């Protein structure tokens, strides 16, 4: 077999050829070659697609299409794959679409199906859709794939945050977040008063909505990571029964009503077995069956506005409908990011834990992209914020994000420096801050030479710079108490920060 590089080099050479030479010399040579040689020189097919689309004469278009369609019947999958990738470049009509469909109908290879799906994604497939609907013999998988592709290109769908949902008081809504943050999530939900907390377990708060609500009401909560509507719980069963039950939950009247209420355009979803890898066969079985039960709800792995997640729990499989809103509507201010940025809901939890004093002066010594400062400022009562970071790009990003957050007039100063130098650089007198809120470097991605020393310095600076009654809120990587007697521990939550635990701590500054 040719090495990747040799194949690439061959493609480069062929792609640079004038069309007449490529078509008159290399294509016939490819056709005469042995199967082995053809396998090694598939680059010819790719070059034909590209060179013809750029400079091929219109009168040869049918011949080129015919050649590529012929290759769709080649016994070698790689050749078929190259041909299906080249066809959309030439411009396909109903005859070629029918050939591609026949192949989709016939193939048993997941890989080939994936590439065919990509081809249909490019050609839009309206003619295909008409053809398969008229024919009636195509599998649910094929029909669903083409319908989803047409729907995606012709009526892009979106999720409606502002649409009021009525009569869903019995729907359980799962708000997931980092393990250890549940109590803060719960406090936020109860303070908002729109939803009722019915259960709390690690990383999960379950609520119901006693009255009509919108998705915007849910996304007004900032401490959760993801939100989903529970469609059903499928008890452990054999493969056939579990497929049927999962599909029934997806296609249930309850799911349909929710999806219809909250979607503009075609209803498309992506199915995921959370934590279980691709599960292609199971996804296929469940989505085919769900389509048969409700053809208006289309499975579409690409750019679907909804996800249906299957979570394995102790009691069975929880089927959950989750809006895939990217970017998260809660953070339109995030114009830029830093590699070690905080998880935004963690920053929101920290801001809530900090509580508020009037006319706060807040400092984040390790501000990165500025999330903690922004989340705290959003809660009001802030007069001035300071952000410091060793990284100049981070300071630039924090400044831009803070401006984009459009907060009420707040004096904001961002300084590139070591946090230990900041009070001196800014001539800040001791006891002049009311809140120090920060997510320090944790030494995970970028090793920090003396992380314990850095945390000890943070405590020392907090003790010196906070006024009595001021607070230090931070994620402590060490199980260590404050070495500063004037800082009294108020609360500690052990939080999973993505595979390792940290202590989210609040200290209160006593009289000097
Ligand atoms: C975990 S990140 C903070 C992320 C930030 N909360 C955000 O939302 O983007 C830690 C930051 O500390 C900064 N840093 C590390 N050592 C520092 C030091 N001695 N002084 C100031 N900043 C430092 C890093 O450049 C990094 O941006």
């Amino acid at each position: 077999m040719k090495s990747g590089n040799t194949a690439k080099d061959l493609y480069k050479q062929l792609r640079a050829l004038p069309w007449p030479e490529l078509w008159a010399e290399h294509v016939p040579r490819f056709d005469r070659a042995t199967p082995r040689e053809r396998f090694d020189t598939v680059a010819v097919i790719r070059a034909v697609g590209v060179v013809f689309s750029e400079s091929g004469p219109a009168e040869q278009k049918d011949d080129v299409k015919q050649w590529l369609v012929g290759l769709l019947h080649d016994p070698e999958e790689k050749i078929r794959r190259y041909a299906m990738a080249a066809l959309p470049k030439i411009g396909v009509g109903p005859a070629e679409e029918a050939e591609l469909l026949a192949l989709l109908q016939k193939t048993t290879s997941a890989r080939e199906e994936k590439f065919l799906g990509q081809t249909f994604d490019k050609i839009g497939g309206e003619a295909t859709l008409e053809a398969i609907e008229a024919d009636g013999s195509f599998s649910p998988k094929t029909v669903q794939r083409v319908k989803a592709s047409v729907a995606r290109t012709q009526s892009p769908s979106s999720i409606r945050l502002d649409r009021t949902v009525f009569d869903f008081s019995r729907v359980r809504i799962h708000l997931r977040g980092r393990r250890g943050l549940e109590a803060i999530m719960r406090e936020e939900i109860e303070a908002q008063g729109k939803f009722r907390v019915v259960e709390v377990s690690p990383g999960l708060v379950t609520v119901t909505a006693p009255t009509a609500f919108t998705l915007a009401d849910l996304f007004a909560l900032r401490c959760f990571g993801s939100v989903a509507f529970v469609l059903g719980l499928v008890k452990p069963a054999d493969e056939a029964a579990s497929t049927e039950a999962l599909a029934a939950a997806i296609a249930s009247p309850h799911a349909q009503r929710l999806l219809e209420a909250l979607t503009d355009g075609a209803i498309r979803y992506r199915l995921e077995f959370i934590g279980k890898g691709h599960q292609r066969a199971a996804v296929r079985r469940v989505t085919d069956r769900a389509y048969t039960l409700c053809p208006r709800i289309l499975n579409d792995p690409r750019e679907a506005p909804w996800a249906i997640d299957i979570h394995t729990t102790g009691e069975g499989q929880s089927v959950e409908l989750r809006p895939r809103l990217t970017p998260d509507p809660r953070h339109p201010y995030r114009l830029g990011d830093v590699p070690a940025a905080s998880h935004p809901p963690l920053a929101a939890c920290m801001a809530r834990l900090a509580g508020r004093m009037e006319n706060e002066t807040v400092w984040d010594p390790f501000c990165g992209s500025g999330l903690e400062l922004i989340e705290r400022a959003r809660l009001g009562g802030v007069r001035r914020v300071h952000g410091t970071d060793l990284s100049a790009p981070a300071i630039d990003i924090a400044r831009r994000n803070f401006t984009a957050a459009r907060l009420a007039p707040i004096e904001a100063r961002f300084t590139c420096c070591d946090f230990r130098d900041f009070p001196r650089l800014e001539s800040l007198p001791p006891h002049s801050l009311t809140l120090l809120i920060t997510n320090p470097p944790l030494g995970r991605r970028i090793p920090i030479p003396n992380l314990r020393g850095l945390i000890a310095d943070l405590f020392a600076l907090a003790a010196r710079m906070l006024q009595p009654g001021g607070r230090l809120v931070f994620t402590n990587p060490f199980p260590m108490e404050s070495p500063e007697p004037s800082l009294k521990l108020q609360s500690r939550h052990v939080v999973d920060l993505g595979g390792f635990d940290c202590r989210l701590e609040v200290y209160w500054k006593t009289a000097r």
Side-chain angles (χ1 to χ4, degrees):
M1 197 200 292
K2 299 252 165 193
S3 75
N5 272 347
T6 321
K8 261 193 209 141
D9 291 345
L10 176 62
Y11 170 69
K12 270 196 202 151
Q13 285 166 22
L14 294 167
R15 200 215 167 301
L17 291 177
W19 168 253
E21 187 182 338
L22 181 64
W23 182 244
E25 289 177 28
H26 292 267
V27 167
R29 192 177 305 153
F30 177 84
D31 287 341
R32 284 193 307 270
T34 64
R36 179 82 233 173
E37 289 163 346
R38 284 158 68 86
F39 185 91
D40 286 345
T41 54
V42 281
V44 173
I45 307 172
R46 186 169 168 211
V48 164
V50 172
V51 179
F52 183 84
S53 68
E54 287 171 357
S55 57
E59 62 275 15
Q60 275 180 350
K61 185 170 174 167
D62 284 345
D63 293 343
V64 178
K65 281 203 284 192
Q66 214 179 348
W67 181 67
L68 290 171
V69 166
L71 296 178
L72 290 177
H73 299 281
D74 198 280
E76 177 51 60
E77 194 243 40
K78 189 174 178 187
I79 291 181
R80 298 199 297 273
R81 185 154 39 89
Y82 270 69
M84 69 183 77
L87 268 167
K89 294 197 168 56
I90 312 294
V92 296
E96 294 78 31
E97 284 193 27
E99 294 280 351
L100 287 162
L101 266 172
L103 188 52
L104 182 59
Q105 193 67 328
K106 211 169 62 184
T107 186
T108 51
S109 144
R111 185 181 155 87
E112 181 158 42
E113 188 191 322
K114 186 177 127 202
F115 283 102
L116 274 163
Q118 288 172 0
T119 305
F120 282 116
D121 290 344
K122 285 188 198 120
I123 62 181
E126 176 114 53
T128 310
L129 188 55
E130 272 172 32
I132 59 173
E133 285 188 329
D135 181 298
S137 73
F138 286 92
S139 68
K141 172 198 86 177
T142 307
V143 182
Q144 188 170 195
R145 173 117 219 178
V146 175
K147 267 193 180 176
S149 163
V150 172
R152 191 181 332 108
T153 44
Q154 302 200 337
S155 67
S157 26
S158 61
I159 287 180
R160 292 293 301 262
L161 283 166
D162 56 344
R163 196 74 65 64
T164 306
V165 183
F166 300 96
D167 303 329
F168 279 98
S169 58
R170 288 211 307 278
V171 177
R172 289 165 75 88
I173 303 169
H174 277 178
L175 298 167
R176 292 175 194 276
R178 302 262 172 188
R179 185 175 37 78
L181 296 178
E182 309 81 30
I184 310 165
M185 286 160 62
R186 175 183 202 142
E187 183 276 320
E188 184 189 38
I189 295 160
E190 290 176 346
Q192 186 205 37
K194 204 70 202 166
F195 302 92
R196 181 180 299 142
V197 175
V198 291
E199 205 176 318
V200 178
S201 57
L204 174 63
V205 179
T206 305
V207 300
T208 54
T211 54
F213 67 98
T214 62
L215 272 177
D217 293 329
L218 282 164
F219 280 91
L221 301 166
R222 305 182 72 79
C223 294
F224 71 83
S226 69
V227 58
F229 301 102
V230 180
L231 300 180
L233 181 73
V234 172
K235 302 273 182 203
D238 64 33
E239 185 182 287
S242 130
T243 300
E244 188 61 33
L246 290 171
I250 295 170
S252 64
H254 161 62
Q256 290 181 44
R257 277 207 305 133
L258 263 175
L259 283 163
E260 264 156 25
L262 297 174
T263 318
D264 262 352
I267 297 172
R268 297 181 291 114
Y269 73 96
R270 179 190 169 92
L271 183 66
E272 280 178 49
F273 286 83
I274 302 297
K276 301 261 179 197
H278 289 306
Q279 297 281 318
R280 286 202 181 87
V283 166
R284 165 89 61 80
R285 278 194 302 275
V286 174
T287 53
D288 280 2
R289 182 65 189 139
Y291 176 73
T292 309
L293 294 174
C294 178
R296 271 176 312 130
I297 301 183
L298 299 170
N299 171 244
D300 184 8
R302 279 193 55 195
E303 297 160 32
W306 294 97
I308 293 185
D309 297 334
I310 314 289
H311 292 267
T312 304
T313 72
E315 293 152 73
Q317 291 175 300
S318 176
V319 186
E320 305 186 7
L321 175 66
R322 174 172 55 85
R324 294 174 82 209
L325 292 164
T326 331
D328 189 317
R330 294 174 295 179
H331 314 118
Y333 62 77
R334 289 189 83 187
L335 302 182
D337 215 348
V338 297
S342 306
H343 187 48
L346 171 69
C349 286
M350 292 174 68
R352 285 199 83 76
L353 270 186
R356 66 180 262 182
M357 289 169 73
E358 280 318 304
N359 285 324
E360 294 249 44
T361 302
V362 188
W363 177 29
D364 183 344
F366 310 99
C367 72
S369 58
L371 297 190
E372 282 77 8
L373 289 175
I374 293 170
E375 290 296 327
R376 172 60 197 89
R378 282 182 50 93
L379 296 178
V382 174
R383 185 162 53 93
R384 185 182 310 143
V385 299
H386 296 286
T388 51
D389 202 289
L390 266 185
S391 146
I395 285 297
D396 185 46
I397 288 167
R399 195 176 284 126
R400 285 197 294 129
N401 285 350
F402 199 88
T403 307
R406 296 165 185 265
L407 297 156
I410 293 177
E411 197 188 322
R413 298 175 76 103
F414 293 94
T415 313
C416 181
C417 66
D418 186 293
F419 75 108
R420 299 167 188 96
D421 299 331
F422 175 65
R424 183 178 48 79
L425 288 176
E426 285 287 311
S427 309
L428 277 186
H431 315 299
S432 55
L433 304 173
T434 57
L435 174 64
L436 223 142
I437 184 168
T438 196
N439 191 357
L442 302 175
R444 294 267 152 182
R445 268 176 278 192
I446 305 161
I448 303 287
N450 177 8
L451 188 56
R452 260 182 198 278
L454 180 141
I455 299 296
D457 289 345
L458 176 65
F459 274 120
L461 267 171
R464 182 145 62 89
M465 299 308 295
L466 285 173
Q467 68 181 48
R471 297 89 72 219
L472 163 66
V473 180
F474 85 114
T475 44
N476 189 346
F478 300 114
M480 71 194 257
E481 299 301 324
S482 161
E484 299 294 327
S486 67
L487 292 174
K488 299 287 179 217
L489 184 67
Q490 291 294 292
S491 69
R492 173 178 287 148
H493 297 77
V494 178
V495 181
D496 173 13
L497 288 193
F500 63 98
D501 284 349
C502 231
R503 285 139 215 87
L504 175 48
E505 296 176 337
V506 180
Y507 291 85
W508 185 66
K509 173 78 189 328
T510 59
R512 341 178 158 175

